[in-house]
C-alpha cells in the first residue's frame, strides 16, 4: 500500500539553526500562526523547560504539516553530541532527512563540521536515509554558494550537488550526470538528451546524489525552495498490507502515562486492537541484555502529536508516526506485528560514573527510578551492585548529566550528583576455548558445554547452537540460548562487559526428573565464566577518532602531544589547500585512547590562544595500550565475584559440593572431545571431531539399549539398567545402606532395656525447634503492594512487612527472624528489636543481610532445623547443605494460604 504520510527528519550540529528551520517550515505551511525564536524561548517544538532555558533541543519532537498534496510528519532532533543517541533513534523511522549546516562555520572552517556533522553524515549513511542539505545563515557569510559547496565537497564528496537552479537548467543537468558517477547516465546527457525527473528522484532515493539548498531560516529565505524540493524530489514509500510497526521512542505524558512511539511500517490499526511483538530484541551488543518479548496487549489510544498537542485517531495507517497508550514492556528498537527488522545502535557511551544519592534516599528505590529513565534512554544502562549498594550509570557527557540531574529532581523529588567519570572498558578473548558448567545440588541437575570463539571487532555477542538433538533436546538448547541472552556477561580481567565473542552450545545433559529451568540458568552462567577463566582474555579500551584544526605553527606541538597520549595521527592539511594556496589552519586526524584525551580540548585551546579546536567521535574498541596498569588499578578478583561464579556445583553424599573452575572438567558427565592444545587445529575442525564422537557415542548407546520385544525382556533390561546405575552410584558416593536396619534396631532396643531405670521419670522430649530466617528487603520487594508502597515510604512498607510476618508467626510453629541490612548506615551497630512476637535484626555497618543470614544459618543448623526465605540466587547456592531454602514467592504463597485457613476457620465457627 502507498503511504499517505512522509516522515521528515531535521538534523544539524549545535547552533546551525535546525529548530529555526523547523519553525519556518511550520509557519510557511500554516501549521502555526506565529513563528517562534529560540532566543525568545517561544518555539513551537522546544516544549521542555530545560530546552527553552538552554536554547538547545534535548528530546526529538514531532509536528505535522501539509504542503501542496503531501502530508509530512516532521521530527526535530537534538543537535548536541551528548544527545546523539536520541537523534540516532529517530533515524530508524525517517523517509527523508534534511541536514542543516551553518554557512558561516563552513566559511570559518570550524571543526564542528568534522565532528558532529561527520557523525550525522555517517549515521545517515548507515540507516540509508535519502538526504537533502540546507546551508543556513547565508545572510551572515560573505562566501558565495559555489565556494561553500566546494568546501563541503572536499569533506563529503562530489555527490553533493547545487539544486538551486531549475531541473531543466543545463548546469544542473550536467552536475547531476557528473555527480551520479553513472557512465550510462553521462552518455545519455552527452548525447544531448535531458535527464528525466524520475531518474533524479531515483538517484536521490539511492543516496547517489545529495541536493544542496541555501537560505536563511530566520528570515524565511530558501525555505520555500526546500519545501518544493521535498515534494518534487522525494516520494512516500510503499508498505505491505500486513500490520507492522517499529518502536523508536518511549516517553511519559504530563500525567505519568507511558507513551510508546511507533512508526507504522505496514497495514493499519485501530484503538482497542491487540498488538503483539514480532520477536524479542537480540542482545547483539555487550552493553545490555536482551529484553523479553512482551505479551500481546491492547492499544488504548492512538495519538498523533504536533508539539504539545495531540489528536486521537480512529485509525493509523502505514507511514504514520503515532504514540500508543496502554502498552508496557516494549523497548526502543522492538518490532510489532509483521515488522521483524532489527538494527543495533551505532553510538554508545564511553564514560561511566557513580550516582551519589542524598542520605535519606534508599539506593533500591533510586535504582528503580533510574531503570524507568533507562526505558526512555536505553544507553544510560544503570548497573546496581547489591554488595556495595552502588549505582553506576553510563552517560555521553557532562551536559547529559546535568539534564539527568534536573529530570530526576523534577520527576522523583530528590537531587543527585555524580562521581568522577571513568572510561568504560570491555573484554574479549584471543582464541577458542570450551567452557563447562555443572549445577547439581540435591534434586537438581543441569550440565552445559559452550564453545567461546573470538569475533571481529564490533561484532558484539553472538549466540548459536550446534548441538545435536540426540545429545540434548531442543527445548533445553533454546533455554540455554535464552539464559545467554538475558544478561550481560562480565570478563575476568576487570569485570568489564564481554564483547566480540561467539558463544555456541556444543553439549549438555538434563535429568528427566530433577532438572528445572533454573538449573540450566546456573549451569549456563557458570559455563561462560569457566571458559573465560581458561581463555586468553584481552582488555579493550574505547578509541576516539579525532580531528584537530589549529594554526600551522603549532602543528609539531600537537603531534608530540598525540604521541605521548599513545595516539596515531595523519596530516590531512599542513596549512595549504589542494590548489596550493595557504589555508587558515592545519588539520590533523587519527585515533587516540579515550582515557588519555579527556581534557585535551582545553590544553589545545590554551597553547593556540583559542584558535585550535578538538572534536572526537567513537571509533570503536581496540586492545588497551596500558592493560596491565588498568587491571592492577581495578583490583578485580574474578573468583571473589559471587554474582558471576566460575565454579560448578556437584552432588556428593546428598550435599551440594562446589568444585573450583580449574578442576571442573575432571568431574564433567559429558565428554565433547574438544582439545585445543593440538597444534594447528581450528575451532571448526575441533567441533566437527566432537560432533562425530557424540554421534558415535549416541549410536552405540542406542544399539546397546535396543528395546526387547517381550514384556519379560523389557523388565529384565530395565532391572539390568537399574543395577548398572546402582553400581555407578556406589563407585561415586559409596555403598548404599538402607535407612532401617532390623538387626541394628533390635540391638538398640535390647541395650535400652538393659539400662538402669532412673529414680525419676524423664520428661517427654519436646518437638525439634525450627527457625525461619527472612531476608527483609528481598522479600519486601518481591511483593507488588509492598514494592509500590516502598517507592513512596520505605519505613511504612517495612512496618507492613513486620505486621504480616507477626501474624504468620502466630499461626506457624517456626520462630521467625526478620533481617534488614544497614550496610550503608554510617556507624550502624547490630541490634535486635521485638515487634510483637517477631524478632527483627538490623545488621551492623558494612554487613549485608546476606552475610548475616549465611553466618546465622551455618551456626543454627548444627542444633536446629533452619529455613532461609530469599530469592537471591547466590545466597541460595551458598546455604545448600546447611539449611532449607524457600523463595520469596513461596513464602508469600505460604502466608496467603495460612490467612485463608484462618479465615475459613473463623467463618465456619
Amino acid at each position: 500500500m502507498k503511504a499517505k504520510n512522509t516522515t521528515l527528519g531535521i538534523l544539524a550540529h549545535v547552533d546551525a539553526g535546525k529548530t529555526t528551520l523547523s519553525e519556518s517550515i511550520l509557519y510557511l505551511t500554516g501549521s502555526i500562526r506565529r513563528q517562534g525564536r529560540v532566543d525568545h524561548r517561544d518555539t513551537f517544538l522546544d516544549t521542555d523547560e530545560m530546552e527553552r532555558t538552554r536554547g538547545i533541543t534535548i528530546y526529538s519532537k514531532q509536528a505535522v504539516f501539509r504542503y501542496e498534496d503531501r502530508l509530512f510528519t516532521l521530527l526535530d532532533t537534538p543537535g548536541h553530541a551528548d544527545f546523539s543517541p536520541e537523534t540516532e533513534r529517530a533515524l530508524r523511522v525517517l523517509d527523508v532527512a534534511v541536514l542543516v549546516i551553518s554557512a558561516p562555520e563552513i566559511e570559518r572552517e570550524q571543526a564542528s563540521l568534522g565532528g558532529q556533522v561527520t557523525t550525522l553524515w555517517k549515521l545517515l549513511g548507515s540507516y540509508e536515509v535519502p538526504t537533502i542539505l540546507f546551508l543556513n545563515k547565508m545572510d551572515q557569510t560573505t562566501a558565495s554558494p559555489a565556494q561553500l559547496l566546494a568546501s563541503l565537497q572536499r569533506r563529503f564528496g562530489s555527490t553533493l550537488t547545487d539544486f538551486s537552479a531549475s531541473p531543466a537548467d543545463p548546469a544542473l543537468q550536467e552536475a547531476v550526470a557528473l555527480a551520479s558517477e553513472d557512465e550510462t547516465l553521462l552518455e545519455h546527457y552527452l548525447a544531448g538528451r535531458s535527464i528525466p525527473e524520475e531518474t533524479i528522484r531515483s538517484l536521490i532515493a539511492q543516496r547517489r546524489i545529495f541536493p544542496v539548498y541555501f537560505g536563511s531560516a530566520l528570515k524565511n529565505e530558501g525555505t520555500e525552495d526546500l519545501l518544493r524540493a521535498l515534494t518534487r524530489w522525494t516520494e512516500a514509500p510503499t508498505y505491505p498490507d500486513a500490520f507492522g510497526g517499529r518502536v523508536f521512542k518511549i516517553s511519559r505524558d504530563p500525567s505519568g502515562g507511558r507513551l510508546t512511539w511507533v512508526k507504522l511500517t505496514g497495514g493499519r490499526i485501530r484503538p482497542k486492537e491487540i498488538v503483539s511483538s514480532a520477536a524479542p530484541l537480540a542482545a547483539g551488543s555487550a552493553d545490555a541484555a536482551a529484553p523479553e518479548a512482551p505479551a500481546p496487549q491492547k492499544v488504548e489510544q492512538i495519538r498523533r502529536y504536533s508539539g504539545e498537542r495531540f489528536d486521537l485517531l480512529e485509525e493509523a495507517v502505514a507511514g504514520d508516526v503515532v504514540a500508543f497508550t496502554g502498552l508496557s514492556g516494549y523497548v526502543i528498537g522492538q518490532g510489532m506485528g509483521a515488522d521483524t527488522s532489527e538494527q543495533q545502535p551505532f553510538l554508545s557511551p564511553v564514560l561511566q560514573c557513580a550516582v551519589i544519592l542524598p542520605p535519606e534516599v534508599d539506593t533500591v528505590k533510586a535504582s528503580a527510578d533510574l531503570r524507568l529513565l533507562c526505558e526512555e534512554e536505553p544507553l544510560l544502562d544503570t548497573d546496581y551492585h547489591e554488595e556495595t549498594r552502588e549505582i553506576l550509570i553510563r552517560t555521553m557527557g557532562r551536559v547529559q548529566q546535568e539534564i539527568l540531574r534536573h529530570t530526576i529532581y523534577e520527576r522523583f523529588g530528590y537531587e543527585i550528583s555524580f562521581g568522577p567519570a571513568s572510561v568504560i572498558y570491555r573484554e574479549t578473548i584471543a582464541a577458542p576455548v570450551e567452557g563447562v558448567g555443572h549445577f547439581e545440588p540435591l534434586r537438581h541437575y543441569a550440565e552445559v558445554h559452550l564453545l567461546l570463539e573470538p569475533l571481529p571487532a564490533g561484532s558484539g555477542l553472538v549466540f548459536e547452537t550446534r548441538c545435536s538433538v540426540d545429545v540434548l533436546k531442543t527445548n533445553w538448547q533454546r533455554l540455554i540460548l535464552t539464559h545467554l541472552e538475558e544478561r550481560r556477561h562480565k570478563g575476568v580481567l576487570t569485570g568489564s562487559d564481554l564483547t566480540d565473542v561467539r558463544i555456541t552450545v556444543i553439549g549438555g545433559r538434563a535429568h528427566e526428573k530433577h532438572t528445572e529451568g533454573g538449573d540450566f540458568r546456573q549451569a549456563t552462567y557458570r559455563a561462560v565464566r569457566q571458559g573465560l577463566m581458561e581463555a586468553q582474555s584481552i582488555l579493550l579500551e574505547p578509541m576516539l577518532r579525532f580531528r584537530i584544526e589549529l594554526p600551522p605553527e603549532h602543528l609539531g606541538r600537537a603531534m608530540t602531544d598525540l604521541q605521548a597520549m599513545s595516539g596515531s595521527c595523519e596530516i590531512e592539511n599542513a596549512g595549504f589547500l589542494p590548489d596550493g594556496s595557504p589555508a587558515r589552519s592545519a588539520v590533523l586526524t587519527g585515533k587516540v585512547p579515550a582515557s588519555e584525551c579527556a581534557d585535551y580540548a582545553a590544553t589545545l585551546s590554551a597553547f593556540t590562544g583559542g584558535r585550535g579546536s578538538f572534536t572526537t567521535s567513537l571509533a570503536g574498541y581496540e586492545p588497551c595500550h596500558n592493560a596491565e596498569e588498568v587491571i592492577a588499578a581495578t583490583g578485580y578478583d574474578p573468583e571473589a565475584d559471587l554474582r558471576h561464579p566460575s565454579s560448578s556445583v556437584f552432588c556428593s553424599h546428598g550435599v551440594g559440593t562446589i568444585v573450583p573452575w580449574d578442576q571442573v572438567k575432571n568431574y564433567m558427565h559429558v565428554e565433547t572431545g574438544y582439545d585445543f592444545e593440538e597444534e594447528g587445529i581450528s575451532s571448526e575442525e575441533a567441533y566437527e571431531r566432537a560432533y562425530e564422537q557424540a554421534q558415535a557415542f549416541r549410536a552405540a548407546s542406542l544399539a546397546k539399549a535396543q528395546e526387547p520385544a517381550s514384556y519379560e525382556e523389557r523388565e529384565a533390561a530395565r532391572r539390568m539398567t537399574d543395577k548398572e546405575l546402582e553400581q555407578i552410584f556406589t563407585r561415586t558416593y559409596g555403598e548404599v545402606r538402607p535407612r532401617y536396619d532390623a538387626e541394628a534396631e533390635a540391638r538398640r532396643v535390647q541395650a535400652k532395656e538393659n539400662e538402669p531405670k532412673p529414680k525419676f521419670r524423664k520428661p517427654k522430649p519436646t518437638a525439634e525447634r525450627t527457625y525461619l530466617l527472612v531476608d527483609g528487603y528481598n522479600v519486601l520487594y518481591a511483593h507488588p503492594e509492598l514494592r509500590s508502597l516502598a517507592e513512596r515510604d520505605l519505613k511504612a512498607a517495612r512496618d507492613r512487612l513486620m505486621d504480616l510476618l507477626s501474624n504468620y508467626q502466630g499461626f506457624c510453629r517456626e520462630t521467625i527472624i526478620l533481617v534488614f541490612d544497614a550496610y550503608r548506615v554510617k556507624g550502624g551497630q547490630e541490634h535486635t528489636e521485638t515487634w510483637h512476637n517477631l524478632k527483627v535484626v538490623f545488621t551492623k555497618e558494612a554487613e549485608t543481610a546476606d552475610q548475616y543470614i549465611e553466618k546465622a544459618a551455618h551456626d543454627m543448623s548444627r542444633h536446629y532445623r533452619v529455613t532461609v526465605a530469599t530469592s537471591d540466587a547466590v545466597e541460595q547456592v551458598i546455604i545448600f547443605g546447611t539449611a532449607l531454602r524457600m523463595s520469596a514467592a513461596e513464602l508469600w504463597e505460604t502466608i496467603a494460604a495460612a490467612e485463608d485457613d484462618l479465615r475459613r476457620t473463623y467463618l465456619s465457627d
Side-chain angles (χ1 to χ4, degrees):
M1 58 183 298
K2 191 73 172 180
K4 300 178 181 179
N5 195 343
T6 301
T7 306
L8 166 67
I10 308 293
L11 295 82
H13 58 93
V14 177
D15 295 332
K18 170 183 52 59
T19 300
T20 304
L21 177 61
S22 299
E23 292 285 318
S24 177
I25 290 174
L26 296 177
Y27 176 72
L28 293 178
T29 56
S31 300
I32 57 176
R33 296 181 178 179
R34 187 173 62 85
Q35 184 174 350
R37 291 181 52 155
V38 174
D39 53 347
H40 294 174
R41 301 182 182 180
D42 60 354
T43 55
F44 179 73
L45 290 174
D46 285 345
T47 57
D48 188 87
E49 178 187 348
M50 290 181 291
E51 293 179 318
R52 291 179 172 174
T53 301
R54 293 176 173 269
I56 61 173
T57 302
I58 299 173
Y59 309 103
S60 61
K61 297 291 177 27
Q62 173 180 331
V64 179
F65 69 90
R66 186 179 294 276
Y67 187 76
E68 296 180 354
D69 60 341
R70 293 276 295 278
L71 180 66
F72 290 88
T73 297
L74 184 149
L75 295 182
D76 185 21
T77 62
H80 198 284
D82 280 14
F83 307 106
S84 295
E86 178 85 3
T87 301
E88 181 183 1
R89 288 189 287 273
L91 291 180
R92 303 181 184 189
V93 299
L94 297 185
D95 300 322
V96 62
V98 174
L99 179 59
V100 185
I101 302 178
S102 172
E105 294 196 16
I106 302 174
E107 183 184 13
R108 293 193 297 267
E109 299 182 355
Q110 290 294 308
S112 59
L113 298 179
Q116 181 65 1
V117 172
T118 301
T119 299
L120 294 174
W121 185 257
K122 290 181 179 179
L123 288 174
L124 288 166
S126 300
Y127 288 97
E128 299 180 351
V129 181
T131 304
I132 298 174
L133 283 75
F134 184 80
L135 273 56
N136 194 24
K137 303 183 180 180
M138 289 296 294
D139 57 327
Q140 300 178 22
T141 179
T142 57
S144 67
Q147 292 173 325
L148 297 173
L149 180 61
S151 179
L152 286 179
Q153 287 175 335
R154 286 194 295 270
R155 294 178 182 270
F156 303 120
S158 60
T159 53
L160 275 61
T161 307
D162 185 355
F163 266 60
S164 302
S166 167
D169 189 286
L172 178 58
Q173 292 274 314
E174 180 182 359
V176 169
L178 293 173
S180 66
E181 298 179 354
D182 187 322
E183 292 184 5
T184 304
L185 188 62
L186 186 58
E187 291 176 358
H188 179 90
Y189 167 74
L190 293 176
R193 289 173 289 181
S194 63
I195 302 175
E197 291 191 9
E198 293 79 6
T199 302
I200 298 177
R201 277 195 290 270
S202 177
L203 292 172
I204 295 173
Q206 298 172 26
R207 289 180 51 84
R208 295 172 62 184
I209 60 173
F210 301 91
V212 179
Y213 289 87
F214 306 86
S216 173
L218 186 62
K219 298 180 178 179
N220 296 327
E221 296 175 357
T223 308
E224 285 282 359
D225 294 336
L226 178 63
L227 287 170
R228 282 192 292 269
L230 290 171
T231 57
R232 187 169 201 167
W233 301 123
T234 66
E235 291 183 340
T238 301
Y239 295 104
D241 294 333
F243 167 74
R246 175 64 49 181
V247 180
F248 73 96
K249 180 180 176 181
I250 301 292
S251 66
R252 281 169 171 77
D253 60 20
S255 62
R258 193 176 194 262
L259 298 177
T260 304
W261 295 75
V262 179
K263 165 72 176 289
L264 266 65
T265 57
R268 57 190 70 242
I269 187 172
R270 294 175 176 272
K272 309 302 181 183
E273 289 186 352
I274 302 296
V275 297
S276 58
S277 171
L281 193 63
S285 71
D287 296 333
E292 297 181 359
Q297 301 173 61
K298 181 170 63 175
V299 176
E300 295 295 340
Q301 294 180 344
I302 301 177
R303 301 180 181 180
R304 174 185 285 163
Y305 274 83
S306 188
E308 293 181 300
R309 303 189 300 268
F310 65 86
D311 296 324
L312 294 178
L313 301 184
E314 293 296 326
E315 181 181 67
V317 298
D320 286 345
V321 177
V322 294
F324 291 161
T325 66
L327 301 184
S328 61
Y330 280 93
V331 298
I332 293 172
Q334 213 157 28
M336 291 182 178
D339 190 336
T340 59
S341 60
E342 178 184 323
Q343 191 166 15
Q344 296 296 330
F346 292 92
L347 300 177
S348 63
V350 296
L351 299 176
Q352 69 176 0
C353 54
V355 178
I356 302 174
L357 300 171
E360 67 274 8
V361 177
D362 181 70
T363 54
V364 177
K365 177 185 182 302
S367 178
D369 294 341
L370 287 171
R371 281 197 297 272
L372 289 177
L373 294 181
C374 286
E375 292 182 357
E376 305 170 22
E377 177 49 85
L379 292 184
L380 286 177
D381 198 18
T382 61
D383 190 7
Y384 174 57
H385 293 273
E386 294 183 2
E387 297 85 357
T388 60
R389 295 300 177 103
E390 183 182 41
I391 302 174
L392 296 179
I393 191 167
R394 303 182 178 190
T395 63
M396 296 293 291
R398 294 181 180 178
V399 175
Q400 189 184 30
Q401 290 180 5
E402 294 178 15
I403 301 302
L404 184 61
R405 185 184 296 114
H406 184 273
T407 301
I408 290 176
Y409 179 76
E410 290 293 323
R411 190 175 296 186
F412 304 115
Y414 56 87
E415 294 184 350
I416 66 169
S417 56
F418 297 95
S422 60
V423 170
I424 301 174
Y425 292 94
R426 293 182 182 174
E427 297 182 29
T428 188
I429 59 176
V433 66
E434 181 187 8
V436 295
H438 190 94
F439 189 72
E440 190 191 1
L442 189 63
R443 298 188 182 89
H444 294 265
Y445 188 95
E447 182 167 310
V448 174
H449 290 247
L450 303 173
L451 175 63
L452 282 67
E453 300 171 283
L455 290 176
S459 301
L461 293 180
V462 177
F463 306 115
E464 325 180 325
T465 177
R466 289 184 289 179
C467 179
S468 170
V469 295
D470 294 333
V471 176
L472 189 64
K473 292 182 179 179
T474 303
N475 61 313
W476 296 126
Q477 295 187 37
R478 290 175 178 169
L479 186 61
I480 293 172
L481 291 177
T482 299
H483 293 323
L484 286 171
E485 294 173 353
E486 69 188 4
R487 79 178 313 187
R488 293 209 312 256
H489 299 283
K490 302 291 185 180
V492 297
L493 299 178
T494 61
S496 303
D497 290 343
L498 185 68
T499 188
D500 300 337
V501 175
R502 176 167 57 217
I503 303 179
T504 306
V505 182
I506 58 173
R509 179 173 292 179
H511 192 282
E512 292 185 1
K513 181 179 180 181
H514 293 152
T515 298
E516 300 176 359
D519 300 342
F520 270 103
R521 176 184 289 110
Q522 284 290 329
T524 300
Y525 293 169
R526 294 168 188 270
V528 175
R529 195 68 170 178
Q530 194 275 338
L532 293 176
M533 292 294 287
E534 286 193 357
Q536 180 184 351
S537 295
I538 301 174
L539 185 66
L540 303 176
E541 66 178 344
M543 297 293 291
L544 299 181
R545 184 179 292 105
F546 68 84
R547 180 182 178 89
I548 296 177
E549 297 190 8
L550 74 173
E553 62 267 23
H554 296 291
L555 193 61
R557 163 69 187 275
M559 295 178 66
T560 302
D561 291 345
L562 290 168
Q563 185 178 7
M565 293 188 292
S566 301
S568 61
C569 67
E570 294 181 359
I571 301 176
E572 183 178 300
N573 181 0
F576 298 94
L577 296 176
D579 58 4
S581 59
R584 296 181 180 179
S585 61
V587 179
L588 283 175
T589 59
K591 292 190 293 186
V592 64
S595 59
E596 301 293 331
C597 61
D599 300 320
Y600 190 67
T603 302
L604 179 67
S605 178
F607 73 74
T608 61
R611 293 182 294 165
S613 59
F614 179 71
T615 57
T616 60
S617 61
L618 181 62
Y621 276 77
E622 296 181 5
C624 185
H625 73 286
N626 58 338
E628 293 183 1
E629 179 183 337
V630 173
I631 294 171
T634 303
Y636 177 73
D637 183 359
E639 298 189 53
D641 190 347
L642 298 180
R643 297 204 309 172
H644 301 86
S646 57
S647 59
S648 286
V649 180
F650 288 81
C651 187
S652 177
H653 301 284
V655 177
T657 302
I658 296 178
V659 177
W661 65 270
D662 54 348
Q663 303 175 24
V664 165
K665 290 187 176 179
N666 298 327
Y667 293 84
M668 283 294 149
H669 297 174
V670 176
E671 178 61 46
T672 61
Y674 277 86
D675 183 9
F676 295 108
E677 296 181 359
E678 184 177 335
E679 185 177 357
I681 188 172
S682 67
S683 60
E684 293 294 333
E685 293 170 340
Y687 167 73
E688 293 297 337
R689 186 177 66 182
Y691 184 80
E692 291 173 0
Q693 291 181 356
Q695 291 291 81
F697 174 79
R698 177 62 179 169
S701 301
L702 289 175
K704 181 179 179 180
Q706 186 173 7
E707 186 177 6
S710 66
Y711 172 78
E712 291 77 8
E713 290 175 338
R714 288 198 300 270
E715 285 297 300
R718 184 187 64 79
R719 287 192 296 272
M720 181 174 62
T721 303
D722 290 345
K723 185 176 181 180
E724 289 177 347
L725 290 175
E726 184 177 347
Q727 292 174 352
I728 294 173
F729 188 90
T730 302
R731 288 197 301 269
T732 306
Y733 303 110
E735 184 181 356
V736 180
R737 298 180 179 177
R739 295 186 179 182
Y740 179 78
D741 188 333
E743 295 181 2
E745 181 66 14
R747 289 194 298 270
R748 189 189 67 77
V749 173
Q750 184 64 38
K752 186 78 173 176
E753 293 177 351
N754 294 335
E755 289 180 359
K757 303 296 181 182
K759 295 181 180 180
F760 301 100
R761 185 178 179 182
K762 291 183 178 179
K764 184 177 179 180
T766 58
E768 181 184 10
R769 194 167 186 181
T770 60
Y771 285 87
L772 173 62
L773 296 174
V774 179
D775 188 342
Y777 288 119
N778 188 286
V779 170
L780 186 150
Y781 282 98
H783 192 285
E785 295 181 4
L786 293 183
R787 182 171 62 247
S788 176
L789 178 59
E791 292 177 356
R792 302 188 303 271
D793 190 338
L794 182 61
K795 185 178 183 303
R798 197 166 54 207
D799 293 346
R800 177 58 179 159
L801 174 63
M802 291 191 288
D803 285 337
L804 292 172
L805 291 179
S806 177
N807 293 338
Y808 179 63
Q809 170 77 81
F811 177 83
C812 68
R813 298 181 179 179
E814 297 172 309
T815 301
I816 300 178
I817 300 177
L818 177 61
V819 183
F820 291 108
D821 60 43
Y823 181 85
R824 297 292 294 273
V825 178
K826 265 197 170 180
Q829 299 293 324
E830 179 182 318
H831 64 283
T832 304
E833 297 180 0
T834 302
W835 184 274
H836 305 304
N837 58 343
L838 180 70
K839 291 185 177 180
V840 183
V841 176
F842 293 88
T843 66
K844 61 186 177 182
E845 181 187 3
E847 182 181 36
T848 65
D850 299 350
Q851 294 170 330
Y852 180 90
I853 290 174
E854 291 160 11
K855 181 174 62 176
H858 178 75
D859 295 340
M860 297 169 63
S861 62
R862 300 174 182 174
H863 309 288
Y864 308 108
R865 182 172 175 268
V866 179
T867 302
V868 175
T870 181
S871 290
D872 189 309
V874 175
E875 188 175 351
Q876 289 183 348
V877 171
I878 292 176
I879 64 173
F880 266 125
T882 60
L884 301 175
R885 65 188 180 100
M886 173 187 290
S887 68
E890 291 173 336
L891 175 61
W892 286 117
E893 291 175 1
T894 304
I895 293 174
E899 292 177 349
D900 290 342
D901 289 344
L902 288 172
R903 193 177 295 109
R904 284 195 298 269
T905 301
Y906 286 118
L907 290 176
S908 61
D909 293 341

